[in-house]
Amino acid sequence: ESFRGEGFLEADACTHYIYARKVWNSHRFLADVWGRPLCTGLYAIPAHLAGRYGVHAMSLALALITAWFTMSIARRQGYRWPVLAYAFTLAQPMVFMHSFSELTELPFAAVLAGAFLAYQRRWWWIMALLVGLLPLGRPEGFGFIALAGLALVAHRRLHWLPLLVLPLGLWSYAGWTWTPAQPNYPWWQWLEHAWPWDSKSTYDAGPLLKFVALLPFVVSPFLLPATCIGIWVSLRQGMPLLRLRLQTHRVHCQWLIAVLPLLVLVAHSLLYWLGKMASNGEPRYMLSVTPFWALLTAQGWEWIFIGRRWRWPLPWATAAVLLPWLANKHYQALPLRPDPSLRAARDFLQWYDHSTLQRRYPHLMTSHIAFFSLLSDYSNAPDLTVEFKPGILADAPPGTLLVWDSIYSLHNSDGQRIITLDAIQKAGWSERTDLAQRLNAVDDEPQWHVFLSPRSISPGE
């Protein structure tokens, strides 16, 4: 399906693919907060060698590694059928979809599974180092650093605490060193200054229980009852909390297997409900703890079949895993098809590449990811686009063409990268409705607008 598909699973997938390609032109992209060093680093070589399909192969490898780590955890927890944990990892619909995508959740899940396996085996320094890498993949990693710190304190392994922050220190130093204009603050503050997300989200807040309602899509509707039973069984083993110190490490681990994904579920539910931290309610956020959903499902499945003495647990598990994919015949999601916006951007760039307008307005300013994914295919396309920020409007180079859309231009995790139509018009830019019609004729959602900077350049400039 990866080779048959032409589009991207999500716009963010296109963003990460672009960063993976650009890192070979400028290593500063490796430290970029948007691209995430863990993901850019893992995808860079495959993207360089085999393009988008190389990244898809890496994503598939990460899915298999995550499943193998999850099965290893189940085996050490004493599960009767550890292979169920492997199968239920890959059976999650979102894991399948992300196994040929370019997003951050699978790299995060693979490292998290390895870190928990290290904790389970009491390999403290490995656990600390792997958990320290998690913020380099996704923001949830900061929470796991705090939890891992508590674990090291509880187990009296305080000498490994510096490993938790070592990757963050290296990231901050690299970003500070590679910043084109030398910052006027010390290197350990770079990450704080470079962090783009505002506490107040530019996305609309949503219902508190949205992520709970999306769990059938996360773990598979046929497996969700087993997941719920696995949560109940795991939490019951660790209760009451006052007795945790009297219980075995294996019981602690099983309790954490339930607590960790629930913490992520609650945290994202609150952020989305309150409209904080750029949360827009994407179900893929739950994919970051996919090993734990699989382990809980396997635990629940065993409880059902062993407790009730039902026969053929593995064949029934196989049927439950395969049934959801029959839905693709009635509601076809695969292979991926190009987004209408991608087609609109391609048609526009094909015209722009050979137009006389390109010689007078060779610079492109836009926030829509479709343009960035296509620019390298056009011989006359500018090597350096103009950064999409309100402050650039008055100082944009002469000969800048601005393509505005009603989605990416108004909704961004970074509030400093939002430009309204009113701001463009006040800055003296000229709107070209004829050019916008080229885009809107192919895709009228988002609504496109095209502007020309106050000054053009002559062909000789």
Side-chain angles (χ1 to χ4, degrees):
E1 298 295 349
S2 170
F3 283 89
R4 291 173 59 199
E6 299 179 54
F8 292 91
L9 185 62
E10 293 189 24
D12 284 351
C14 183
T15 301
H16 289 288
Y17 174 66
I18 292 170
Y19 274 104
R21 294 293 298 268
K22 281 183 173 290
V23 75
W24 297 99
N25 299 325
S26 175
H27 50 265
R28 68 182 177 89
F29 287 104
L30 183 61
D32 191 89
V33 175
W34 288 97
R36 294 287 173 181
L38 176 64
C39 306
T40 304
L42 287 172
Y43 292 145
I45 294 177
H48 181 68
L49 296 177
R52 191 163 57 92
Y53 302 122
V55 176
H56 291 185
M58 173 57 74
S59 294
L60 177 59
L62 289 169
L64 296 174
I65 290 170
T66 303
W68 185 83
F69 280 149
T70 306
M71 183 176 64
S72 300
I73 294 169
R75 183 177 292 114
R76 291 192 64 83
Q77 284 299 111
Y79 285 24
R80 184 167 179 178
W81 302 298
V83 70
L84 287 176
Y86 186 96
F88 291 158
T89 300
L90 300 178
Q92 294 175 38
M94 298 203 67
V95 172
F96 178 81
M97 296 294 290
H98 283 240
S99 68
F100 50 88
S101 188
E102 304 85 355
L103 289 156
T104 60
E105 283 77 11
L106 270 184
F108 185 94
V111 175
L112 178 59
F116 192 84
L117 179 61
Y119 171 77
Q120 186 189 43
R121 298 178 68 94
R122 300 176 188 265
W123 294 344
W124 307 113
W125 72 272
I126 296 178
M127 180 207 74
L129 192 58
L130 290 177
V131 171
L133 288 172
L134 291 176
L136 280 65
R138 286 192 56 78
E140 294 92 339
F142 290 101
F144 281 100
I145 281 185
L147 293 173
L150 291 174
L152 290 174
V153 171
H155 289 279
R156 300 175 182 176
R157 297 296 189 276
L158 278 68
H159 53 285
W160 296 123
L161 286 173
L163 288 180
L164 286 173
V165 296
L166 177 62
L168 282 174
L170 294 174
W171 182 14
S172 190
Y173 181 76
W176 182 83
T177 303
W178 295 338
T179 300
Q182 192 65 38
N184 58 357
Y185 48 81
W187 65 266
W188 59 85
Q189 294 180 1
W190 177 84
L191 192 57
E192 177 185 354
H193 285 82
W195 201 263
W197 289 275
D198 296 326
S199 60
K200 174 62 178 176
S201 177
T202 60
Y203 301 109
D204 294 332
L208 177 62
L209 298 180
K210 177 179 179 178
F211 286 104
V212 175
L214 289 172
L215 280 179
F217 181 61
V218 175
V219 302
S220 175
F222 297 100
L223 299 176
L224 183 60
T227 308
C228 296
I229 293 173
I231 294 173
W232 171 70
V233 171
S234 300
L235 291 177
R236 188 183 64 174
Q237 289 183 21
M239 294 298 180
L241 290 175
L242 295 176
R243 295 184 184 177
L244 277 178
R245 304 188 75 179
L246 303 177
Q247 295 169 345
T248 66
H249 185 59
R250 190 172 75 177
V251 173
H252 293 170
C253 289
Q254 191 61 45
W255 183 74
L256 286 172
I257 286 171
V259 169
L260 293 177
L262 291 178
L263 285 176
V264 172
L265 175 66
V266 170
H268 276 296
S269 296
L270 290 174
L271 290 175
Y272 181 57
W273 181 53
L274 296 171
K276 300 291 186 180
M277 301 301 292
S279 176
N280 63 344
E282 289 281 356
R284 60 184 172 89
Y285 298 162
M286 296 299 103
L287 183 60
S288 61
V289 285
T290 193
F292 302 110
W293 297 125
L295 289 164
L296 291 170
T297 305
Q299 174 82 314
W301 198 267
E302 290 188 359
W303 186 90
I304 294 171
F305 279 83
I306 294 175
R308 295 186 174 274
R309 298 182 180 179
W310 288 358
R311 301 173 62 188
W312 305 312
L314 297 182
W316 279 113
T318 303
V321 165
L322 295 178
L323 276 174
W325 308 120
L326 297 177
N328 192 57
K329 292 187 176 180
H330 301 282
Y331 183 81
Q332 189 171 359
L334 302 172
L336 295 176
R337 289 178 170 79
D339 185 88
S341 296
L342 193 68
R343 296 199 303 269
R346 180 184 290 116
D347 290 351
F348 185 87
L349 285 174
Q350 286 176 346
W351 167 84
Y352 174 72
D353 191 41
H354 299 93
S355 70
T356 57
L357 181 70
Q358 198 276 340
R359 292 194 293 272
R360 294 186 296 114
Y361 292 88
H363 305 293
L364 178 65
M365 183 177 179
T366 184
S367 61
H368 202 292
I369 196 63
F371 282 89
F372 294 100
S373 68
L374 296 167
L375 278 177
S376 59
D377 297 335
Y378 297 91
S379 58
N380 293 329
D383 294 328
L384 184 64
T385 55
V386 178
E387 192 172 12
F388 193 86
K389 283 188 173 182
I392 304 294
L393 287 175
D395 301 321
T400 298
L401 182 144
L402 191 157
V403 179
W404 186 96
D405 70 279
S406 59
I407 295 180
Y408 291 94
S409 300
L410 290 179
H411 303 279
N412 198 299
S413 297
D414 184 356
Q416 301 301 314
R417 295 179 181 271
I418 293 174
I419 299 180
T420 64
L421 286 173
D422 185 58
I424 301 172
Q425 292 164 351
K426 286 182 178 179
W429 292 60
S430 303
E431 184 167 10
R432 288 287 299 270
T433 56
D434 58 321
L435 300 182
Q437 287 175 358
R438 290 182 174 273
L439 291 160
N440 290 315
V442 179
D443 177 30
D444 58 1
E445 182 61 41
Q447 186 66 39
W448 301 90
H449 292 262
V450 179
F451 296 87
L452 302 180
S453 62
R455 292 174 55 205
S456 66
I457 63 172
S458 66
E461 285 188 69

